[in-house]
Every structure is written in structure tokens, then in C-alpha cells.
């Protein structure tokens, strides 16, 4: 049986992913920097364990022996993705992660040709939000003539995990970007956009998520903008180390995740749709494990790839609790 290595498995989302992978019957190795939490997790799941940091390239490569796929759950991903991507490429194995940090997508994109020659696939973003928005953008692009413009807005409800809050700093630090005529550039218009998530239009602030990279590759739409509407305790401030690991099951159940996509064609016709899923922290383990299961079964393409390109535009709807409303 092919083996999945989950790096950052002892983190908030990593633990849920490791548990879901076990339920799915995958052969897993839990990995990360700190032995005590990993040992407890490995024992509870009857899984293999590897403890290593990412500073020494040779050490990373040694710990990938016998592994077919690496799923990186260790954020902030700006500090973990490059080492793991390059190690996977050197071994000709596949790299997946669950980040929203746009610079990680740009890194994977820049390494795409090298990865393709090695037979390695790089697919960041196999959780929420990229899986639902990527698939939704592809569906809508098929419904207009010569799609020219894509706008995506995320509704972030409930509280963030500590790791996501730190990663959010990386997203904000990347600056405000948009894609114009196929090129990523600094966003000049920083005014909010208005989007309806089912209860009337609300103001959404521009922000640079990985969709600015994935949607371009998946659809070829040249002009892309991203927005976010934040409610509750999302994007917390202050000492992030004091935050709890993440929201509990009750809070996750009470805060469903939604995203809106709008695609406009060259003739001015616009198609809009809302995708709704279970809470992002509940969706990500389901989507990430299903994506990994497919890759382990041979569903992959070499180089930089997106979920919609490899798994198809219907992939998001295969995750329980997901629905699409066209408008």
C-alpha cells in the first residue's frame, strides 16, 4: 500500500486530517518537529511516526523514504512549504497542502516545470477555500462566452485556529494583489466589493488568497479579484500565541462556510453562484483526505496543478455537506 506522510500532524487541523485519513483506510505516517504530541497521536491512530525539522535538506529527504505523497499541514506555510516541495521533487513524489497563503502558490507555480520533469505533482490548497472556489470558477466559466473577469468573495465566520491566525499574517503581508490581463499586480482599487451570501449584500474587503493563482490556471480567466467578509472572531489581533488551538465541534457546526463567484464574459453576460459547505475546519480534513486518496490511487498530473484540473469541477460537491446555488 502506498504511504501518506502528514507533516504538521500534531497541529489543530493536522490531527483532524490524520484521524480522517485513518478512517479512510490510508496508510499514514504522522510527522513534525515535536516528538511528544506526535507519539501520542501515532499511538492513538496506530500510525507510523517520523520526527524531523526542515532545516537540513538531506534529513528531510531521508525521512521521505518509502513515502508516495506528502500532505503539509504545518503553518505558517511560508516556513515549511519550500523545503518540503523541493524534497518531494528530488524524490519524484507528490506534494499537497492546505494553505491559503498566496506566496506558497506562487512558489509552487515557479517550481512547476522542475516538478514536471521529476514526475512530481505540486498541489497546494486541497482544503477550504480553494477546493470549492476552484471548482465553482470552472463551472461558471463554462456558462459564459469568452470569460474575461472573475470575482470571488469568501465569508469567514466563527473563530480562527491559532495556526490560521498566524497564516493570515502571511496573507496580509503579501499585499493587495489582483490579476489583470493574466498578470499578478498590485491592486489599485482597494474599495470593498458587495456580495450576497444569502442574506443580502454585504461589504467585502479585497484580500490576496491563493485563488489568484489557482483560478488562473484552472480557467484561464485573465482578470481575477478576491474579497473576504469577516464576522465573529475571525482575523484576531494581539498575542496570537494565547489563542486556543481552534474552534470546537459545536462552534464549527454553528458556522457554515460560504463563497460567491461571479464570472463575466466578453459580451457582458455574468453568471453568479454561491457555494456553501460545512465549516472550513470541518471541510478541510474531508477534502484533503479525499484528494490524497485519489492521488495515492494514481489520479495525478506532474507539475503545478489545481484541484479542479486534476479532479474535475464536480470534486467540491463530492464532499458531504456541500451545495451550489446558481443566481
Amino acid at each position: 500500500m502506498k504511504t501518506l506522510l502528514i507533516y504538521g500532524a500534531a497541529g489543530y487541523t493536522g490531527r483532524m486530517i490524520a484521524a480522517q485519513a485513518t478512517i479512510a483506510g490510508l496508510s499514514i505516517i504522522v510527522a513534525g518537529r515535536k516528538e511528544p504530541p506526535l507519539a501520542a497521536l501515532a499511538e492513538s491512530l496506530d500510525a507510523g511516526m517520523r520526527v524531523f525539522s526542515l532545516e537540513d535538506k538531506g534529513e528531510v529527504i531521508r525521512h521521505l523514504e518509502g513515502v508516495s505523497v506528502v500532505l503539509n499541514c504545518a503553518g505558517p506555510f511560508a516556513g515549511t512549504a519550500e523545503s518540503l516541495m523541493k524534497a518531494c521533487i528530488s524524490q519524484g513524489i507528490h506534494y499537497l497542502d492546505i494553505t491559503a497563503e498566496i506566496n506558497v502558490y506562487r512558489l509552487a507555480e515557479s517550481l512547476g516545470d522542475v516538478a514536471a520533469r521529476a514526475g512530481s505533482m505540486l498541489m497546494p490548497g486541497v482544503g477550504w477555500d480553494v477546493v470549492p472556489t476552484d471548482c465553482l470558477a470552472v463551472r461558471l466559466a463554462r456558462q459564459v462566452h469568452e470569460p474575461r473577469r472573475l470575482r470571488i468573495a469568501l465569508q469567514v465566520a466563527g473563530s480562527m485556529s491559532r495556526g490560521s491566525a498566524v497564516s493570515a499574517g502571511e496573507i496580509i503581508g503579501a499585499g493587495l494583489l489582483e490579476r489583470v490581463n493574466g498578470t499578478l499586480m498590485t491592486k489599485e482599487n482597494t474599495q470593498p466589493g458587495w456580495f450576497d451570501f444569502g442574506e443580502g449584500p454585504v461589504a467585502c474587503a479585497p484580500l490576496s488568497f491563493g485563488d489568484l493563482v489557482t483560478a488562473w490556471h484552472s480557467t484561464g480567466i485573465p482578470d481575477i479579484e478576491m474579497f473576504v467578509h469577516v464576522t465573529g472572531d475571525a482575523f484576531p489581533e494581539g498575542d496570537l500565541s494565547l489563542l486556543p488551538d481552534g474552534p470546537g465541534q459545536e462552534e464549527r457546526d454553528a458556522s457554515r462556510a460560504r463563497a460567491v463567484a461571479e464570472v463575466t464574459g466578453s459580451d457582458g453576460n455574468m453568471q453568479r453562484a454561491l457555494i456553501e459547505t460545512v465549516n472550513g475546519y470541518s471541510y478541510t480534513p474531508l477534502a484533503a483526505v479525499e484528494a490524497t486518496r485519489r492521488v495515492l490511487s494514481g489520479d495525478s498530473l506532474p507539475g503545478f496543478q489545481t484541484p479542479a484540473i486534476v479532479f474535475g469541477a464536480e470534486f467540491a460537491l463530492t464532499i458531504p455537506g456541500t451545495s451550489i446555488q446558481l443566481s
Side-chain angles (χ1 to χ4, degrees):
M1 180 181 289
K2 294 182 178 179
T3 299
L4 164 68
L5 184 140
I6 304 172
Y7 195 82
Y12 172 72
T13 306
R15 292 194 304 271
M16 290 191 286
I17 286 176
Q20 180 63 30
T22 302
I23 292 171
L26 304 185
S27 172
I28 69 169
I29 297 170
V30 297
R33 300 173 185 266
K34 298 179 180 179
E35 182 172 356
L38 281 172
L41 180 64
E43 182 178 3
S44 69
L45 298 178
D46 192 23
M49 178 184 74
R50 296 183 185 176
V51 181
F52 61 100
S53 64
L54 301 177
E55 286 75 22
D56 185 315
K57 177 182 177 181
E59 182 184 15
V60 178
I61 291 174
R62 286 194 298 274
H63 281 94
L64 298 189
E65 182 180 353
V67 170
S68 299
V69 176
V70 171
L71 176 56
N72 183 13
C73 303
F77 293 83
T80 62
E82 183 171 6
S83 178
L84 287 170
M85 283 185 194
K86 289 182 175 179
C88 286
I89 291 170
S90 73
Q91 300 305 103
I93 63 177
H94 304 314
Y95 170 94
L96 286 67
D97 71 32
I98 57 170
T99 190
E101 299 169 28
I102 186 170
N103 283 337
V104 173
Y105 293 82
R106 299 174 76 179
L107 170 65
E109 183 182 42
S110 72
L111 294 172
D113 289 344
V114 177
R117 289 194 293 271
S120 174
M121 182 174 74
L122 305 179
M123 185 187 286
V126 292
W128 202 90
D129 73 294
V130 164
V131 167
T133 55
D134 196 40
C135 294
L136 189 60
V138 170
R139 287 170 61 101
L140 290 177
R142 294 171 178 168
Q143 298 177 23
V144 303
H145 177 67
E146 296 179 350
R148 294 290 310 170
R149 186 188 189 200
L150 167 65
R151 300 204 306 166
I152 298 173
L154 311 177
Q155 184 183 55
V156 180
S159 61
M160 275 190 176
S161 72
R162 184 168 56 244
S164 293
V166 175
S167 278
E170 296 289 340
I171 297 169
I172 295 169
L176 287 180
L177 301 171
E178 64 180 332
R179 192 171 289 275
V180 179
N181 291 325
T183 301
L184 272 181
M185 57 180 58
T186 299
K187 187 173 177 60
E188 300 294 337
N189 180 8
T190 60
Q191 295 301 306
W194 290 81
F195 296 85
D196 188 349
F197 297 100
E199 298 178 350
V202 293
C204 299
L207 201 61
S208 305
F209 286 90
D211 308 72
L212 292 172
V213 178
T214 55
W216 159 245
H217 282 270
S218 296
T219 68
I221 297 175
D223 298 340
I224 304 174
E225 297 175 274
M226 286 290 303
F227 299 84
V228 63
H229 177 66
V230 177
T231 63
D233 298 322
F235 289 87
E237 298 178 350
D239 188 349
L240 301 182
S241 67
L242 300 178
L243 293 174
D245 276 0
Q249 184 69 53
E250 184 175 343
E251 182 180 352
R252 295 199 304 272
D253 290 345
S255 303
R256 290 178 64 80
R258 298 176 180 88
V260 170
E262 298 176 348
V263 174
T264 304
S266 60
D267 58 1
N269 176 44
M270 183 181 72
Q271 293 292 316
R272 178 190 296 111
L274 166 72
I275 189 163
E276 180 175 327
T277 76
V278 293
N279 182 271
Y281 290 113
S282 299
Y283 186 92
T284 292
L286 296 172
V289 169
E290 176 56 19
T292 304
R293 185 193 67 77
R294 295 188 183 202
V295 174
L296 288 167
S297 298
D299 201 356
S300 64
L301 294 170
F304 172 73
Q305 301 295 343
T306 73
I309 288 175
V310 176
F311 308 131
E314 303 304 312
F315 177 58
L317 288 173
T318 68
I319 309 303
T322 305
S323 62
I324 291 176
Q325 301 172 30
L326 300 177
S327 61

mmCIF file with all atom_site columns, all heavy atoms in Angstrom, residues 36-50:
data_model
loop_
_atom_site.group_PDB
_atom_site.id
_atom_site.type_symbol
_atom_site.label_atom_id
_atom_site.label_alt_id
_atom_site.label_comp_id
_atom_site.label_asym_id
_atom_site.label_entity_id
_atom_site.label_seq_id
_atom_site.pdbx_PDB_ins_code
_atom_site.Cartn_x
_atom_site.Cartn_y
_atom_site.Cartn_z
_atom_site.occupancy
_atom_site.B_iso_or_equiv
_atom_site.pdbx_formal_charge
_atom_site.auth_seq_id
_atom_site.auth_comp_id
_atom_site.auth_asym_id
_atom_site.auth_atom_id
_atom_site.pdbx_PDB_model_num
ATOM 1   N N   . PRO A 1 36 ? 6.740  14.472 21.537 1.00 0.00 ? 36 PRO A N   1
ATOM 2   C CA  . PRO A 1 36 ? 5.684  14.054 22.478 1.00 0.00 ? 36 PRO A CA  1
ATOM 3   C C   . PRO A 1 36 ? 4.266  14.082 21.891 1.00 0.00 ? 36 PRO A C   1
ATOM 4   O O   . PRO A 1 36 ? 3.552  13.068 21.972 1.00 0.00 ? 36 PRO A O   1
ATOM 5   C CB  . PRO A 1 36 ? 5.845  15.036 23.645 1.00 0.00 ? 36 PRO A CB  1
ATOM 6   C CG  . PRO A 1 36 ? 7.292  15.409 23.599 1.00 0.00 ? 36 PRO A CG  1
ATOM 7   C CD  . PRO A 1 36 ? 7.645  15.463 22.153 1.00 0.00 ? 36 PRO A CD  1
ATOM 8   N N   . PRO A 1 37 ? 3.810  15.190 21.274 1.00 0.00 ? 37 PRO A N   1
ATOM 9   C CA  . PRO A 1 37 ? 2.449  15.147 20.725 1.00 0.00 ? 37 PRO A CA  1
ATOM 10  C C   . PRO A 1 37 ? 2.314  14.186 19.554 1.00 0.00 ? 37 PRO A C   1
ATOM 11  O O   . PRO A 1 37 ? 1.258  13.568 19.375 1.00 0.00 ? 37 PRO A O   1
ATOM 12  C CB  . PRO A 1 37 ? 2.189  16.597 20.295 1.00 0.00 ? 37 PRO A CB  1
ATOM 13  C CG  . PRO A 1 37 ? 3.544  17.199 20.113 1.00 0.00 ? 37 PRO A CG  1
ATOM 14  C CD  . PRO A 1 37 ? 4.425  16.519 21.108 1.00 0.00 ? 37 PRO A CD  1
ATOM 15  N N   . LEU A 1 38 ? 3.373  14.020 18.774 1.00 0.00 ? 38 LEU A N   1
ATOM 16  C CA  . LEU A 1 38 ? 3.317  13.081 17.656 1.00 0.00 ? 38 LEU A CA  1
ATOM 17  C C   . LEU A 1 38 ? 3.222  11.639 18.147 1.00 0.00 ? 38 LEU A C   1
ATOM 18  O O   . LEU A 1 38 ? 2.475  10.825 17.587 1.00 0.00 ? 38 LEU A O   1
ATOM 19  C CB  . LEU A 1 38 ? 4.553  13.229 16.771 1.00 0.00 ? 38 LEU A CB  1
ATOM 20  C CG  . LEU A 1 38 ? 4.566  14.403 15.797 1.00 0.00 ? 38 LEU A CG  1
ATOM 21  C CD1 . LEU A 1 38 ? 5.940  14.523 15.153 1.00 0.00 ? 38 LEU A CD1 1
ATOM 22  C CD2 . LEU A 1 38 ? 3.487  14.239 14.728 1.00 0.00 ? 38 LEU A CD2 1
ATOM 23  N N   . ALA A 1 39 ? 3.978  11.333 19.196 1.00 0.00 ? 39 ALA A N   1
ATOM 24  C CA  . ALA A 1 39 ? 3.961  9.967  19.728 1.00 0.00 ? 39 ALA A CA  1
ATOM 25  C C   . ALA A 1 39 ? 2.572  9.605  20.239 1.00 0.00 ? 39 ALA A C   1
ATOM 26  O O   . ALA A 1 39 ? 2.081  8.491  20.013 1.00 0.00 ? 39 ALA A O   1
ATOM 27  C CB  . ALA A 1 39 ? 4.997  9.830  20.838 1.00 0.00 ? 39 ALA A CB  1
ATOM 28  N N   . ALA A 1 40 ? 1.932  10.554 20.925 1.00 0.00 ? 40 ALA A N   1
ATOM 29  C CA  . ALA A 1 40 ? 0.582  10.301 21.429 1.00 0.00 ? 40 ALA A CA  1
ATOM 30  C C   . ALA A 1 40 ? -0.399 10.099 20.280 1.00 0.00 ? 40 ALA A C   1
ATOM 31  O O   . ALA A 1 40 ? -1.268 9.218  20.324 1.00 0.00 ? 40 ALA A O   1
ATOM 32  C CB  . ALA A 1 40 ? 0.143  11.467 22.317 1.00 0.00 ? 40 ALA A CB  1
ATOM 33  N N   . LEU A 1 41 ? -0.262 10.921 19.240 1.00 0.00 ? 41 LEU A N   1
ATOM 34  C CA  . LEU A 1 41 ? -1.150 10.803 18.086 1.00 0.00 ? 41 LEU A CA  1
ATOM 35  C C   . LEU A 1 41 ? -0.907 9.494  17.346 1.00 0.00 ? 41 LEU A C   1
ATOM 36  O O   . LEU A 1 41 ? -1.868 8.792  16.980 1.00 0.00 ? 41 LEU A O   1
ATOM 37  C CB  . LEU A 1 41 ? -0.927 11.996 17.147 1.00 0.00 ? 41 LEU A CB  1
ATOM 38  C CG  . LEU A 1 41 ? -1.791 12.035 15.883 1.00 0.00 ? 41 LEU A CG  1
ATOM 39  C CD1 . LEU A 1 41 ? -3.264 12.183 16.231 1.00 0.00 ? 41 LEU A CD1 1
ATOM 40  C CD2 . LEU A 1 41 ? -1.336 13.188 14.971 1.00 0.00 ? 41 LEU A CD2 1
ATOM 41  N N   . ALA A 1 42 ? 0.342  9.150  17.141 1.00 0.00 ? 42 ALA A N   1
ATOM 42  C CA  . ALA A 1 42 ? 0.669  7.908  16.437 1.00 0.00 ? 42 ALA A CA  1
ATOM 43  C C   . ALA A 1 42 ? 0.119  6.697  17.176 1.00 0.00 ? 42 ALA A C   1
ATOM 44  O O   . ALA A 1 42 ? -0.415 5.765  16.557 1.00 0.00 ? 42 ALA A O   1
ATOM 45  C CB  . ALA A 1 42 ? 2.185  7.787  16.269 1.00 0.00 ? 42 ALA A CB  1
ATOM 46  N N   . GLU A 1 43 ? 0.233  6.716  18.501 1.00 0.00 ? 43 GLU A N   1
ATOM 47  C CA  . GLU A 1 43 ? -0.280 5.591  19.285 1.00 0.00 ? 43 GLU A CA  1
ATOM 48  C C   . GLU A 1 43 ? -1.799 5.499  19.183 1.00 0.00 ? 43 GLU A C   1
ATOM 49  O O   . GLU A 1 43 ? -2.350 4.407  19.032 1.00 0.00 ? 43 GLU A O   1
ATOM 50  C CB  . GLU A 1 43 ? 0.144  5.747  20.742 1.00 0.00 ? 43 GLU A CB  1
ATOM 51  C CG  . GLU A 1 43 ? -0.300 4.587  21.615 1.00 0.00 ? 43 GLU A CG  1
ATOM 52  C CD  . GLU A 1 43 ? 0.172  4.724  23.052 1.00 0.00 ? 43 GLU A CD  1
ATOM 53  O OE1 . GLU A 1 43 ? 0.791  5.755  23.394 1.00 0.00 ? 43 GLU A OE1 1
ATOM 54  O OE2 . GLU A 1 43 ? -0.085 3.787  23.835 1.00 0.00 ? 43 GLU A OE2 1
ATOM 55  N N   . SER A 1 44 ? -2.466 6.653  19.234 1.00 0.00 ? 44 SER A N   1
ATOM 56  C CA  . SER A 1 44 ? -3.933 6.636  19.193 1.00 0.00 ? 44 SER A CA  1
ATOM 57  C C   . SER A 1 44 ? -4.468 6.174  17.845 1.00 0.00 ? 44 SER A C   1
ATOM 58  O O   . SER A 1 44 ? -5.557 5.598  17.769 1.00 0.00 ? 44 SER A O   1
ATOM 59  C CB  . SER A 1 44 ? -4.482 8.028  19.518 1.00 0.00 ? 44 SER A CB  1
ATOM 60  O OG  . SER A 1 44 ? -4.198 8.957  18.483 1.00 0.00 ? 44 SER A OG  1
ATOM 61  N N   . LEU A 1 45 ? -3.700 6.405  16.783 1.00 0.00 ? 45 LEU A N   1
ATOM 62  C CA  . LEU A 1 45 ? -4.151 6.044  15.435 1.00 0.00 ? 45 LEU A CA  1
ATOM 63  C C   . LEU A 1 45 ? -3.477 4.788  14.908 1.00 0.00 ? 45 LEU A C   1
ATOM 64  O O   . LEU A 1 45 ? -3.774 4.367  13.787 1.00 0.00 ? 45 LEU A O   1
ATOM 65  C CB  . LEU A 1 45 ? -3.873 7.206  14.469 1.00 0.00 ? 45 LEU A CB  1
ATOM 66  C CG  . LEU A 1 45 ? -4.575 8.533  14.756 1.00 0.00 ? 45 LEU A CG  1
ATOM 67  C CD1 . LEU A 1 45 ? -4.149 9.593  13.747 1.00 0.00 ? 45 LEU A CD1 1
ATOM 68  C CD2 . LEU A 1 45 ? -6.092 8.371  14.751 1.00 0.00 ? 45 LEU A CD2 1
ATOM 69  N N   . ASP A 1 46 ? -2.577 4.215  15.697 1.00 0.00 ? 46 ASP A N   1
ATOM 70  C CA  . ASP A 1 46 ? -1.799 3.061  15.261 1.00 0.00 ? 46 ASP A CA  1
ATOM 71  C C   . ASP A 1 46 ? -1.090 3.376  13.939 1.00 0.00 ? 46 ASP A C   1
ATOM 72  O O   . ASP A 1 46 ? -1.151 2.618  12.958 1.00 0.00 ? 46 ASP A O   1
ATOM 73  C CB  . ASP A 1 46 ? -2.701 1.827  15.100 1.00 0.00 ? 46 ASP A CB  1
ATOM 74  C CG  . ASP A 1 46 ? -1.891 0.538  14.921 1.00 0.00 ? 46 ASP A CG  1
ATOM 75  O OD1 . ASP A 1 46 ? -0.719 0.515  15.353 1.00 0.00 ? 46 ASP A OD1 1
ATOM 76  O OD2 . ASP A 1 46 ? -2.422 -0.426 14.343 1.00 0.00 ? 46 ASP A OD2 1
ATOM 77  N N   . ALA A 1 47 ? -0.418 4.541  13.926 1.00 0.00 ? 47 ALA A N   1
ATOM 78  C CA  . ALA A 1 47 ? 0.242  5.025  12.715 1.00 0.00 ? 47 ALA A CA  1
ATOM 79  C C   . ALA A 1 47 ? 1.745  5.080  12.914 1.00 0.00 ? 47 ALA A C   1
ATOM 80  O O   . ALA A 1 47 ? 2.248  5.090  14.042 1.00 0.00 ? 47 ALA A O   1
ATOM 81  C CB  . ALA A 1 47 ? -0.283 6.421  12.366 1.00 0.00 ? 47 ALA A CB  1
ATOM 82  N N   . GLY A 1 48 ? 2.474  5.147  11.815 1.00 0.00 ? 48 GLY A N   1
ATOM 83  C CA  . GLY A 1 48 ? 3.908  5.364  11.889 1.00 0.00 ? 48 GLY A CA  1
ATOM 84  C C   . GLY A 1 48 ? 4.217  6.798  12.292 1.00 0.00 ? 48 GLY A C   1
ATOM 85  O O   . GLY A 1 48 ? 3.348  7.679  12.238 1.00 0.00 ? 48 GLY A O   1
ATOM 86  N N   . MET A 1 49 ? 5.439  7.045  12.677 1.00 0.00 ? 49 MET A N   1
ATOM 87  C CA  . MET A 1 49 ? 5.822  8.381  13.138 1.00 0.00 ? 49 MET A CA  1
ATOM 88  C C   . MET A 1 49 ? 7.241  8.712  12.683 1.00 0.00 ? 49 MET A C   1
ATOM 89  O O   . MET A 1 49 ? 8.127  7.849  12.728 1.00 0.00 ? 49 MET A O   1
ATOM 90  C CB  . MET A 1 49 ? 5.740  8.466  14.669 1.00 0.00 ? 49 MET A CB  1
ATOM 91  C CG  . MET A 1 49 ? 6.175  9.815  15.241 1.00 0.00 ? 49 MET A CG  1
ATOM 92  S SD  . MET A 1 49 ? 6.185  9.844  17.056 1.00 0.00 ? 49 MET A SD  1
ATOM 93  C CE  . MET A 1 49 ? 7.658  8.849  17.383 1.00 0.00 ? 49 MET A CE  1
ATOM 94  N N   . ARG A 1 50 ? 7.451  9.955  12.264 1.00 0.00 ? 50 ARG A N   1
ATOM 95  C CA  . ARG A 1 50 ? 8.787  10.449 11.945 1.00 0.00 ? 50 ARG A CA  1
ATOM 96  C C   . ARG A 1 50 ? 8.922  11.871 12.487 1.00 0.00 ? 50 ARG A C   1
ATOM 97  O O   . ARG A 1 50 ? 8.069  12.721 12.217 1.00 0.00 ? 50 ARG A O   1
ATOM 98  C CB  . ARG A 1 50 ? 9.051  10.409 10.436 1.00 0.00 ? 50 ARG A CB  1
ATOM 99  C CG  . ARG A 1 50 ? 9.049  8.976  9.888  1.00 0.00 ? 50 ARG A CG  1
ATOM 100 C CD  . ARG A 1 50 ? 9.368  8.906  8.411  1.00 0.00 ? 50 ARG A CD  1
ATOM 101 N NE  . ARG A 1 50 ? 9.214  7.512  7.949  1.00 0.00 ? 50 ARG A NE  1
ATOM 102 C CZ  . ARG A 1 50 ? 9.355  7.124  6.684  1.00 0.00 ? 50 ARG A CZ  1
ATOM 103 N NH1 . ARG A 1 50 ? 9.663  8.016  5.742  1.00 0.00 ? 50 ARG A NH1 1
ATOM 104 N NH2 . ARG A 1 50 ? 9.205  5.851  6.361  1.00 0.00 ? 50 ARG A NH2 1
#
